[in-house]
Amino acid sequence: MLIMNARTDDTGHTESGHPERPERLEAVTAAIEDLHLGDDLLEVAPYAASRSELARVHDGTYLDAMGNYCYEGGGDIDADTYATYDSWSLAQHAAGAGLAVIREMSSRGDGVGFVAVRPPGHHALRDRAMGFCLLNNIAVSAAELTSRGERVLILDWDVHHGNGTQAIFWDDPNVLYVSTHQWPLFPGSGAPYEVGGLHALDTTVNLPLPRGATGDVVRHALLDTAAPIIDEFAPTWVLVSAGFDAHRDDPLAELALSSGDFAQLAQLAASFAPSPGRLALFLEGGYQLHALRDSVSAAVGVLLGSDVASERPTNGGPGIDMVESTRHARVAALRLAYDAGS
Ligand SMILES: [Zn+2]
């Protein structure tokens, strides 16, 4: 069963010409309709995440400032990121949608979660909006889970590095953050030597990949470098920052994945979950509407047992050597950090 947030009217969060636009969620809605889930789809009502739920990962002064900024009409926050009057309520509901989905899954002990919201979240820092993101939706849900004693793997396959999520959980040993991303690319973080803080060494795993990298290279990076660390960490929940902007047709980046690759990545994510009912995808990027629709269908569909990807998985692109050098750089960085900490 797919447990998904019911869609809220997000059309008020929009800026003329901006790629992070309401049509994205229309494409995602169409992608789910394409699966004809019938009774296999359970929609849960999102709600506005409370201040205390948001304050687990955001500074109170930031929450006040962002709320006020929106209620005064909003505007451009930086070169990439905008907010409107409606954005604050929508961002709170986006964060609350994750909590609602996680709680429904917890009470059922079953299902696949999908949190399809905007604005996205993984660039949002504790005290700053960034990269189209106002509140870090996946971090809010991960923090709720760790407050209950869970150990959370956040797998971030968005084409951009989730600098906000990494920073929020940098020194938290109960969250393992694993990111595959194009390198170099916005926001510039996500180097292999970024391995976590002194209390949480080896719980940040960055797997940068060169432009043109194909699905086989992404899978190799995850299996070769991340999988042993994930096994050791033994997550009790797996949350995915599921951006679909690593698709070869996406206008914002230059990785070369297909919808079939996203199906394979979803299966890999599921293999990291300890049992059914412990895997939830959170929408992040994905700006080419056809690619987004196709990729969401493929990824969600395969988790529910249907292979609907219209594009074959890709292979043969560059980056295997970067996976190797990443592994060496991690080992060296960990050695330095352990020496410094001892
Ligand atoms: Zn992205």
Side-chain angles (χ1 to χ4, degrees):
M1 168 174 288
L2 184 67
I3 299 174
M4 186 177 165
N5 60 295
R7 193 174 167 194
T8 42
D9 178 3
D10 61 291
T11 49
H13 181 70
T14 185
E15 185 175 79
S16 180
H18 199 287
E20 207 294 282
R21 59 204 192 276
E23 289 81 358
R24 297 182 60 238
L25 273 193
E26 287 171 23
V28 169
T29 302
I32 299 304
E33 286 168 3
D34 290 344
L35 294 171
H36 304 291
L37 294 176
D39 290 344
D40 245 3
L41 172 64
L42 175 68
E43 290 190 319
V44 296
Y47 70 100
S50 71
R51 185 184 173 84
S52 59
E53 288 162 346
L54 297 174
R56 291 193 184 115
V57 302
H58 290 290
D59 289 349
T61 47
Y62 168 69
L63 296 173
D64 293 339
M66 184 52 65
N68 288 333
Y69 185 75
C70 292
Y71 291 141
E72 285 164 10
D76 287 332
I77 297 166
D78 60 30
D80 306 301
T81 314
Y82 68 89
T84 66
Y85 178 85
D86 290 330
S87 298
W88 185 239
S89 170
L90 289 169
Q92 289 172 296
H93 278 82
L99 295 170
V101 166
I102 294 287
R103 284 174 195 156
E104 184 66 31
M105 294 174 71
S106 301
S107 72
R108 288 177 176 266
D110 201 5
V112 172
F114 184 36
V115 182
V117 291
R118 39 185 306 280
H122 74 152
H123 296 303
L125 294 154
R126 233 169 230 292
D127 59 355
R128 197 177 139 202
M130 187 175 164
F132 314 168
C133 304
L134 304 184
L135 295 172
N136 198 315
N137 307 318
I138 198 166
V140 170
S141 281
E144 155 110 354
L145 289 170
T146 58
S147 78
R148 294 191 219 148
E150 304 286 355
R151 296 170 60 75
V152 181
L153 165 64
I154 297 178
L155 173 59
D156 186 334
W157 73 48
D158 187 279
V159 78
H160 303 96
H161 179 244
N163 60 300
T165 312
Q166 171 175 299
I168 286 166
F169 297 117
W170 180 249
D171 220 10
D172 185 337
N174 296 313
V175 176
L176 173 58
Y177 178 72
V178 176
S179 174
T180 55
H181 45 273
Q182 184 179 334
W183 177 273
L185 190 70
F186 179 90
S189 53
Y193 55 77
E194 296 166 17
V195 291
L198 277 182
H199 300 101
L201 283 172
D202 215 12
T203 64
T204 294
V205 181
N206 284 304
L207 303 166
L209 298 163
R211 74 164 62 163
T214 40
D216 58 330
V217 181
V218 178
R219 286 189 295 280
H220 174 69
L222 288 169
L223 288 168
D224 177 80
T225 307
I229 300 165
I230 294 169
D231 278 352
E232 176 113 341
F233 178 80
T236 59
W237 273 81
V238 176
L239 308 183
V240 179
S241 265
F244 296 92
D245 42 9
H247 191 282
R248 59 194 173 202
D249 294 339
D250 196 276
L252 265 57
E254 298 140 321
L255 292 194
L257 273 58
S258 66
S259 60
D261 290 315
F262 286 109
Q264 295 211 337
L265 286 174
Q267 279 181 311
L268 193 53
S271 77
F272 296 140
S275 57
R278 297 298 181 98
L279 170 67
L281 311 188
F282 287 65
L283 181 69
E284 300 283 2
Y287 304 97
Q288 209 288 338
L289 299 178
H290 294 294
L292 178 60
R293 177 173 176 170
D294 222 29
S295 301
V296 167
S297 275
V300 173
V302 80
L303 293 173
L304 299 170
S306 56
D307 180 7
V308 295
S310 65
E311 299 167 342
R312 298 174 64 79
T314 59
N315 56 65
I320 294 290
D321 53 339
M322 199 182 274
V323 175
E324 284 302 298
S325 60
T326 289
R327 206 148 45 89
H328 294 306
R330 283 188 56 76
V331 170
L334 284 166
R335 196 171 294 144
L336 268 177
Y338 283 124
D339 285 351
S342 63

